[in-house]
Amino acid sequence: MASSVGTTSETPESGSTPEAPDSPARRGRVRGRRAAIMAVPAVAITAGLAIMTAQGALGVQFAISGMPFTVTADSLDGTGFEQFGGLDNMADNSPNAGDTGGQVLVVTSAIKNATLSKLCQSVDLGGTNLKIEAGAGQDKVQATDLTTDSTEMFGNASFRNIEIGNDASTLTKAGVKGPIGVFSQQADVVHIDALRQTNYATTAGVFKLPGLKLTFSSKAC
């Protein structure tokens, strides 16, 4: 799942002189951004998940709103796991862009088949939270071809048959292929207890939410 990073237009401040398209300052910013995208720290996997930075995965599918949402689950069990970094892009002139240029650096996680217990998702709407809960009973949340784009991820994780340092274009476990030359990891099986994520995007081929409950609440997940 590879994406191209969209370009964004910037309005110069009052009284300032717009930079020429090929000015040294602009070229420096572009080179700096590319360098940040391709910087790939090798992070040891302990109680949490390793984080890699690279080129994005979900940007080609839709423009994100730029409003982060929280996802928690008591546990996640998945088969076919892949992970690499990326850039998600907001719609042009999004009021949520701030000084980011309309881009968010994220970690993309892909799972072929996932089961989640006591799923909770909430988004802050300013004074209240839109909250979704499911899978609290005997039937758990089921998802296929699940991907999430996260800026934070916490939990106690274990992996089976993990491979670290793959080229993202060669991934095979979840059916997702990233860009060539990008650092990634994959595993046959992943288990995470006390999962907590800050996400900007989620996609799934199938998403089954037994016991679905949608409410407005003063309390987030």
Side-chain angles (χ1 to χ4, degrees):
M1 244 181 354
S3 73
S4 57
V5 177
T7 57
T8 56
S9 60
E10 297 181 358
T11 303
E13 296 179 358
S14 177
S16 64
T17 302
E19 295 172 0
D22 294 325
S23 68
R26 181 175 181 84
R27 290 198 301 271
R29 285 202 305 270
V30 172
R31 286 195 297 267
R33 176 172 292 172
R34 287 175 179 168
I37 295 170
M38 298 308 297
V40 211
V43 182
I45 301 175
T46 55
L49 292 177
I51 294 179
M52 292 72 64
T53 57
Q55 188 179 348
L58 290 182
V60 296
Q61 297 193 23
F62 57 80
I64 62 170
S65 69
M67 298 177 65
F69 55 97
T70 299
V71 174
T72 65
D74 279 6
S75 65
L76 178 150
D77 288 284
T79 57
F81 171 81
E82 301 173 359
Q83 193 176 67
F84 53 95
L87 281 173
D88 280 353
N89 296 280
M90 302 177 203
D92 291 342
N93 303 314
S94 171
N96 299 319
D99 60 358
T100 67
Q103 295 179 326
V104 179
L105 187 65
V106 296
V107 177
T108 298
S109 302
I111 303 176
K112 187 63 178 177
N113 296 285
T115 300
L116 300 99
S117 174
K118 293 187 178 179
L119 176 69
C120 181
Q121 175 181 301
S122 64
V123 57
D124 186 354
L125 301 179
T128 189
N129 295 279
L130 178 60
K131 190 173 181 180
I132 296 174
E133 297 170 280
Q138 182 177 354
D139 296 327
K140 308 304 180 186
V141 171
Q142 303 285 337
T144 61
D145 298 318
L146 175 68
T147 64
T148 59
D149 275 11
S150 312
T151 53
E152 293 181 319
M153 188 178 298
F154 305 95
N156 300 310
S158 61
F159 301 88
R160 184 184 303 167
N161 296 332
I162 190 167
E163 302 169 0
I164 302 173
N166 308 63
D167 187 295
S169 68
T170 67
L171 295 174
T172 58
K173 303 296 185 180
V176 176
K177 292 186 182 296
I180 190 169
V182 168
F183 185 96
S184 67
Q185 69 176 9
Q186 64 177 358
D188 286 342
V189 177
V190 58
H191 173 82
I192 307 175
D193 287 322
L195 173 66
R196 186 175 187 87
Q197 296 175 305
T198 300
N199 291 349
Y200 277 84
T202 297
T203 67
V206 175
F207 211 4
K208 297 181 179 180
L209 301 169
L212 174 64
K213 180 181 178 183
L214 187 152
T215 59
F216 288 101
S217 174
S218 60
K219 186 177 180 180
C221 293

